[in-house]
Amino acid sequence: MRLTKALPSILGATLLATLSACGGDAAADPMALIQKGDYAAAIAAIEPQLKTVEKGTDAHKDLVIGYTEALSAENPGKAKDFFLKTMTEQKDFIDPADVKYVVNRMAKQGHLSEAIDVMDRGKKTWPEDETIVVVLGELQKAVESSGDKGALDKLKGLGYL
C-alpha cells in the first residue's frame, strides 16, 4: 500500500462506511474530525469501532491509523504505545508505509520523541526497507531543524546520527 495525499479521503470513506455498518453515527466521520483538528471527537468516534471491527481487515487498519493520528495530538505517549502494541500483536498487519505515515504525522505534530520510537521499531522490523530508510532520513532532517536537543540526543543515542 502506498500512502499518498489521497489517504485522508480514503481513510475517511472507509471509516465512514465502518461507522455506518456498525451502527455508529455517520455524521461523526473520524477522518473529517481529524482534518478539522477535533481530535477528542475523533478518538471518541473511533474507540468503540476498534472494539467491534474485525482485526486484520482494511477497515481495522484504517481505524488503527486514524486512532493513532488523533490520539497523538491528545496524548502522544499513549498513541505511540498503542501503535507499537498493534505492531507487536499483529506482526503482518502494519507495514512500512503505515510506519512512515504515523512517524510523519507525529513529527508534524511536534512529537519527535514518540516519532523516533515508532521509526526505531520500524527500522528494527524492516532494516533494509526503502520506505523505512526514507522516513528515517525525513525524521533526521526534522529533528535537526527543530532544535529539540532531547530528540537529537535520542537519535544519536540510537545510532541514527
Side-chain angles (χ1 to χ4, degrees):
M1 176 170 83
R2 183 167 167 86
L3 296 173
T4 66
K5 292 180 184 178
L7 182 64
S9 62
I10 293 167
L11 284 175
T14 303
L15 289 173
L16 183 60
T18 302
L19 282 172
S20 297
C22 296
D25 179 6
D29 173 10
M31 284 311 297
L33 294 168
I34 290 169
Q35 290 173 351
K36 289 189 325 188
D38 193 350
Y39 300 112
I43 291 166
I46 295 171
E47 282 179 340
Q49 301 310 311
L50 283 170
K51 295 174 185 172
T52 60
V53 72
E54 182 181 345
K55 287 186 176 184
T57 63
D58 288 342
H60 182 240
K61 182 182 270 196
D62 292 343
L63 289 169
V64 166
I65 301 297
Y67 184 69
T68 302
E69 182 175 357
L71 191 58
S72 178
E74 297 286 312
N75 187 334
K78 187 174 178 183
K80 174 199 72 170
D81 292 345
F82 170 78
F83 189 75
L84 294 179
K85 180 180 177 190
T86 302
M87 281 183 72
T88 300
E89 291 177 350
Q90 300 176 54
K91 293 183 186 341
D92 296 328
F93 181 65
I94 300 296
D95 61 40
D98 301 323
V99 171
K100 181 179 181 190
Y101 184 79
V102 168
V103 168
N104 286 338
R105 298 309 299 167
M106 288 180 163
K108 185 176 180 180
Q109 293 172 344
H111 308 302
L112 295 172
S113 181
E114 291 80 2
I116 291 167
D117 290 338
V118 172
M119 181 281 307
D120 184 53
R121 174 74 66 81
K123 184 72 171 149
K124 288 176 179 167
T125 303
W126 302 283
E128 303 300 321
D129 186 89
E130 184 178 318
T131 301
I132 297 298
V133 171
V134 168
V135 78
L136 171 58
E138 293 170 352
L139 187 57
Q140 287 169 325
K141 288 177 187 173
V143 168
E144 289 171 346
S145 67
S146 74
D148 183 331
K149 184 172 174 6
L152 193 58
D153 289 345
K154 188 171 195 172
L155 273 180
K156 285 179 184 176
L158 291 168
Y160 294 118
L161 286 180

